[in-house]
Amino acid sequence: MFETILVKPIYNAFILLTGLMPGSDAGLAIIAVTILMRIVLYPVFTSAIRTQLGMAAMQPELESIKEKYANNREQLAREQMALFKRYKVNPLSGIASFAVQLVVMLALYFALFREGFPAVDQDLLYSFVHAPAVISTTFFGLIDLLTPNHLILSVLVALSQFAAIKLTLRRTPSQKSLTAEKAQVQRMQQNLLLYFMPGLMGVFSFFFPGAVGLYFLASNLLSLGQEWLIKHKFA
């Protein structure tokens, strides 16, 4: 089911788009597939971002409710649910967004790298999809998508990941009721996420084929644009 529902459609979309790109450039096709996936999954990302914006907006009321009903857990739960409904907040949307991103990333990896790229597996192609005679695996003549150790690409991945996480943390609601010790732990966790993750992604991009780094870079840039769009939409 994983291959039929996710891997095969993504693989066919990639081969189809590669044939449509100038010079059958596989790098441009990777960017196009990433954009296509973002468009398809736009409602999922929208729900997650809207929930975080709603959580930030309702935080003062939530703190007041927690203080007022500190000794009445049942009433506190009812008041919280009413608050979530009024601000159109879905607490599970963040988990759903992460799960969807993970599944799609795995499907994209299987589609592009397990099938012996740049060779085309004809058995996976739909009848209306025709593979190009030659696939260019050098993105704009600058990045070999099949080889690792692209330093500039890795740095761009790390910087774009830093910017994307920075925006995410800005819309994370602050917990004013936290003790000084817990607030310090929260800051440490956020700093770890802000600096460690971009570094880790940069290292991965350096040691993995250039196609992986290009996908990460395109995904991060699209995340930044999507963040800006959704924030203005729900401002």
Side-chain angles (χ1 to χ4, degrees):
M1 288 182 63
F2 178 74
E3 182 170 292
T4 302
I5 296 174
L6 289 171
V7 176
K8 197 171 182 179
I10 291 176
Y11 186 74
N12 277 267
F14 173 67
I15 297 300
L16 178 64
L17 289 168
T18 299
L20 296 175
M21 294 299 140
S24 298
D25 193 318
L28 290 175
I30 290 175
I31 295 174
V33 168
T34 307
I35 294 173
L36 184 62
M37 291 297 99
R38 284 281 172 171
I39 293 174
V40 172
L41 298 174
Y42 182 78
V44 177
F45 293 111
T46 301
S47 177
I49 294 176
R50 180 172 185 165
T51 289
Q52 286 194 312
L53 292 174
M55 288 290 290
M58 74 180 205
Q59 195 62 35
E61 293 182 60
L62 185 61
E63 296 292 338
S64 177
I65 289 173
K66 286 181 179 180
E67 186 176 341
K68 183 176 181 180
Y69 299 104
N71 298 321
N72 190 338
R73 291 183 177 271
E74 292 185 5
Q75 185 62 30
L76 175 61
R78 285 194 291 268
E79 293 292 334
Q80 283 180 328
M81 290 304 296
L83 198 61
F84 289 160
K85 186 176 181 180
R86 179 150 58 90
Y87 279 89
K88 299 179 181 179
V89 166
N90 180 6
L92 299 179
S93 61
I95 299 175
S97 175
F98 176 78
V100 168
Q101 288 184 72
L102 181 61
V103 170
V104 170
M105 186 179 296
L106 287 174
L108 192 62
Y109 177 83
F110 273 83
L112 299 187
F113 300 108
R114 192 191 65 172
E115 305 304 333
F117 177 76
V120 177
D121 189 344
Q122 298 290 340
D123 294 334
L124 285 179
L125 295 184
Y126 298 137
S127 59
F128 58 87
V129 177
H130 303 285
V134 178
I135 295 178
S136 173
T137 59
T138 305
F139 181 56
F140 281 131
L142 299 174
I143 301 173
D144 186 346
L145 302 175
L146 302 181
T147 62
N149 304 336
H150 298 286
L151 181 59
I152 295 178
L153 178 62
S154 302
V155 171
L156 291 175
V157 168
L159 291 176
S160 60
Q161 186 72 55
F162 176 86
I165 294 176
K166 186 78 171 177
L167 282 181
T168 300
L169 292 178
R170 281 184 179 179
R171 57 177 158 83
T172 301
S174 59
Q175 302 288 341
K176 296 181 180 179
S177 61
L178 292 179
T179 62
E181 183 178 352
K182 288 184 177 180
Q184 184 178 5
V185 171
Q186 185 185 62
R187 285 194 296 271
M188 290 177 62
Q189 291 173 340
Q190 290 180 345
N191 287 334
L192 183 65
L193 182 66
L194 184 60
Y195 297 106
F196 176 74
M197 281 301 296
L200 184 63
M201 297 300 289
V203 171
F204 278 167
S205 300
F206 183 77
F207 288 105
F208 277 77
V212 175
L214 183 61
Y215 166 73
F216 285 147
L217 178 60
S219 183
N220 289 339
L221 294 177
L222 287 170
S223 293
L224 291 171
Q226 194 170 16
E227 179 90 17
W228 180 86
L229 180 64
I230 295 174
K231 272 188 150 182
H232 280 71
K233 181 178 179 182
F234 296 120

